[in-house]
């Protein structure tokens, strides 16, 4: 079965949506098996795509008008197509004439995967080179210190004398999350101890689509 997916960035792109619909119907996709999104390609929460991916079954083929209709980036496109492959679902892009059921289409996706890995390697190399250069100049990476050393010293002294974290936050004008993070950075030994009114304990953290097009 052919399953079609369409996407436009805004509701005003009606002409583009009609172009995609006509192309998918001409390719043999049934009108009842079309899914669509009106959202930017950079968004990861596309309801229409999620429904299409949940709808396809082994032996089906997901069809799009162009590659950029499916993936918000090259890594996302590769991850989506690879996921389809593990589920024994084929993929076809009409504009690029790409079809993973053919040797040529399979080879092209291997090339895309190699290019994505190459891009990740270059990015990591640039990051490491930048950090090394910063260290040679006496700078360290990471987030800036949220609480200056003088204030943090006073805060630790107050906590060691029995003050509650809530009271310290009010007195010194810092957020509780910032305080806890700063204490963890310096390895404050009493970080897990309950002080004062006992309110410093860390709270606990709480805790198949049908096969039809919508």
């Amino acid at each position: 079965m052919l399953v079609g997916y369409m996407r436009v960035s805004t509701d005003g792109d009606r002409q583009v949506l009609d172009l995609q619909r006509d192309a998918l119907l001409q390719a043999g996709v049934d009108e009842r098996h079309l899914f669509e999104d009106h959202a930017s390609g950079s968004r990861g929460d596309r309801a229409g795509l999620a429904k299409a991916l949940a709808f396809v079954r082994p032996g089906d083929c997901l069809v799009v008008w162009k590659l950029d209709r499916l993936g918000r980036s090259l890594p996302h496109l590769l991850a989506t197509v690879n996921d389809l492959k593990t589920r024994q679902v084929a993929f076809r892009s009409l504009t690029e004439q790409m079809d993973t059921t053919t040797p040529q289409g399979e080879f092209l996706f291997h090339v895309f995967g190699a290019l994505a890995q190459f891009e990740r390697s270059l990015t990591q190399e640039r990051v490491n080179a930048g950090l090394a250069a910063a260290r040679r100049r006496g700078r360290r990476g990471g987030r800036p210190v949220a609480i200056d050393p003088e204030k943090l010293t006073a805060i630790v002294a107050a906590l060691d004398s029995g003050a509650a974290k809530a009271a310290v936050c009010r007195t010194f004008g810092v957020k509780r999350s910032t305080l806890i993070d700063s204490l963890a950075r310096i390895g404050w030994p009493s970080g897990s101890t309950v002080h004062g009114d006992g309110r410093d304990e860390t709270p606990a953290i709480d805790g198949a689509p049908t096969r039809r097009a919508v």
Side-chain angles (χ1 to χ4, degrees), residues 72-212:
R72 62 178 183 268
S73 64
L74 179 56
H76 176 253
L77 173 66
L78 292 171
T80 303
V81 175
N82 284 331
D83 178 66
L84 291 172
K85 184 178 178 180
T86 60
R87 297 167 54 192
Q88 299 179 11
V89 176
F91 172 72
R92 184 187 305 170
S93 178
L94 301 178
T95 301
E96 292 83 4
Q97 297 183 353
M98 180 181 297
D99 188 342
T100 59
T101 62
T102 67
Q104 295 86 350
E106 187 73 16
F107 171 74
L108 189 54
F109 265 100
H110 283 304
V111 173
F112 279 3
L115 290 175
Q117 180 60 46
F118 176 67
E119 182 182 11
R120 287 192 294 269
S121 298
L122 286 180
T123 300
Q124 185 63 47
E125 183 178 333
R126 287 193 294 268
V127 170
N128 291 337
L131 291 174
R135 284 193 294 269
R136 287 195 297 269
R137 290 169 173 79
R139 296 196 298 268
R140 297 179 58 188
R143 293 180 297 175
V145 177
I147 304 176
D148 63 75
E150 184 177 350
K151 180 185 287 188
L152 186 57
T153 300
I155 288 175
V156 170
L159 292 171
D160 286 338
S161 64
K165 290 190 182 73
V168 168
C169 289
R170 289 193 299 269
T171 302
F172 291 92
V174 298
K175 294 182 179 180
R176 181 181 177 86
S177 58
T178 302
L179 173 63
I180 294 175
D181 181 65
S182 298
L183 293 176
R185 283 173 179 268
I186 64 172
W188 186 57
S190 304
S192 60
T193 303
V194 178
H195 290 293
D197 55 13
R199 289 176 292 180
D200 287 328
E201 296 176 330
T202 303
I205 300 176
D206 296 327
T210 55
R211 187 169 166 76
R212 60 185 181 85

